[in-house]
Amino acid sequence: MDTVAQAQKEQAGIIGMGRFGSFWAEFLSSHFEVYGYSRSQKENPACKLISLEEICRLKTVFICVPMRAVPETLERIAPLLSPETTVADTCSVKVLPVRWMLEKLPPKVKILATHPMFGPESAKFGLDGLPVVVYPVRIPDEDFKRWKLFFLEKKLAVREMTAEEHDREAAKTQALTHMVGRTLSRLGVKDSPIGTLWYQKLVSICRQVDKDSPELFNDMQHLNPYAGEVRRNFARIWEETSAELEREKPGTV
């Protein structure tokens, strides 16, 4: 099996055992011997928890902390990492995390940018065809090919994108979706006995977004350099469309 994980399972570490980190541990466990590190005590953790020093000696380390905590995390692990270690982020934005990793990690440490475009909720319906974005920031071609093969074996749709390409797309496909879902949720959108199929899909978006932390929502909006422009364009077009409706309002019958 010519993948990242050979017949004898390789070891992989996860820093940050929150909701996504725990999910990612289970995702990797079919091919890896997975270990985790968490600052706080966890009941029934998804994998064995070890010290940060031990995590940093593993061959692969995934960063699964909140995006705003990534710079501090990188600074903590930088002096502990082996030159043979691959550090991979899983952030919902890419431009800033890639910059942080290049700035804060030792030059011999390998860097892989990843963004699984799914999580604990969406994966409940199966992984087949779900996208994962990858980019070889600083990693040998052979290692990068093996990672892509691993994700393909998990039946994911592998998309290779630069950090800038990713964030431009994610500003529309993710940040805007979460903005609309959060807005509709605050509006009080909920199930209706006469809800159409498309209305039900809007309700489903609200439910998904409500399960994410406020920190994730804010980081997704503020740390993506293109999200603000997409939000402003949406607001402008909404106002233009509303104004058109007012101008075209039919007379009283």
Side-chain angles (χ1 to χ4, degrees):
M1 181 173 61
D2 187 23
T3 61
V4 174
Q6 304 300 323
Q8 182 177 357
K9 286 185 177 181
E10 291 183 7
Q11 297 176 330
I14 295 176
I15 299 177
M17 295 300 296
R19 188 162 172 260
F20 181 81
S22 297
F23 162 75
W24 200 240
E26 294 176 358
F27 171 81
L28 294 174
S29 63
S30 61
H31 286 65
F32 292 88
E33 185 179 344
V34 184
Y35 297 90
Y37 168 78
S38 176
R39 281 185 168 182
S40 59
Q41 292 289 333
K42 298 291 181 182
E43 293 185 8
N44 303 316
C47 61
K48 182 179 179 180
L49 301 184
I50 58 179
S51 70
L52 188 62
E53 290 77 10
E54 291 172 305
I55 284 284
C56 290
R57 289 197 292 267
L58 301 180
K59 187 172 182 178
T60 304
V61 175
F62 281 94
I63 307 295
C64 296
V65 300
M67 284 183 279
R68 63 185 64 188
V70 169
E72 178 192 357
T73 300
L74 294 172
E75 290 173 356
R76 290 186 67 199
I77 69 174
L80 305 175
L81 293 167
S82 162
E84 299 301 316
T85 300
T86 296
V87 175
D89 81 304
T90 57
C91 294
S92 298
V93 299
K94 293 268 74 74
V95 170
L96 283 176
V98 166
R99 184 187 306 168
W100 294 333
M101 288 189 288
L102 287 171
E103 290 175 350
K104 297 180 182 298
L105 295 179
K108 291 187 178 181
V109 168
K110 292 176 279 190
I111 299 174
L112 175 67
T114 80
H115 180 197
M117 306 296 295
F118 54 90
E121 294 302 317
S122 50
K124 287 180 179 178
F125 306 104
L127 295 172
D128 291 18
L130 294 178
V132 57
V133 175
V134 295
Y135 191 73
V137 180
R138 190 172 67 203
I139 188 171
D141 287 343
E142 182 180 353
D143 288 356
F144 184 55
K145 289 177 182 177
R146 293 170 69 218
W147 275 108
K148 288 196 293 184
L149 182 57
F150 163 70
F151 289 127
L152 287 170
E153 286 189 350
K154 300 289 284 186
K155 299 185 178 180
L156 299 175
V158 178
R159 306 290 186 233
E160 185 175 344
M161 290 184 176
T162 66
E164 289 77 12
E165 289 171 337
H166 170 277
D167 283 4
R168 286 186 185 276
E169 286 297 311
K172 296 176 289 186
T173 62
Q174 192 172 41
L176 180 60
T177 299
H178 281 247
M179 183 70 182
V180 171
R182 184 63 59 97
T183 302
L184 292 176
S185 181
R186 293 178 67 177
L187 185 64
V189 169
K190 57 185 179 180
D191 285 324
S192 167
I194 60 169
T196 63
L197 173 63
W198 305 117
Y199 179 84
Q200 292 170 15
K201 289 182 181 295
L202 287 177
V203 174
S204 177
I205 291 173
C206 294
R207 287 175 177 162
Q208 293 291 99
V209 170
D210 283 344
K211 293 175 182 178
D212 292 328
S213 68
E215 292 79 13
L216 174 60
F217 175 72
N218 289 333
D219 288 350
M220 191 183 298
Q221 302 297 330
H222 293 305
L223 298 182
N224 185 325
Y226 306 105
E229 180 183 0
V230 171
R231 289 197 308 273
R232 290 188 291 272
N233 285 340
F234 177 80
R236 175 179 55 81
I237 294 171
W238 177 279
E239 291 297 331
E240 290 175 358
T241 304
S242 297
E244 289 172 4
L245 285 173
E246 290 300 318
R247 289 195 300 271
E248 297 170 4
K249 185 185 298 184
T252 304
V253 178

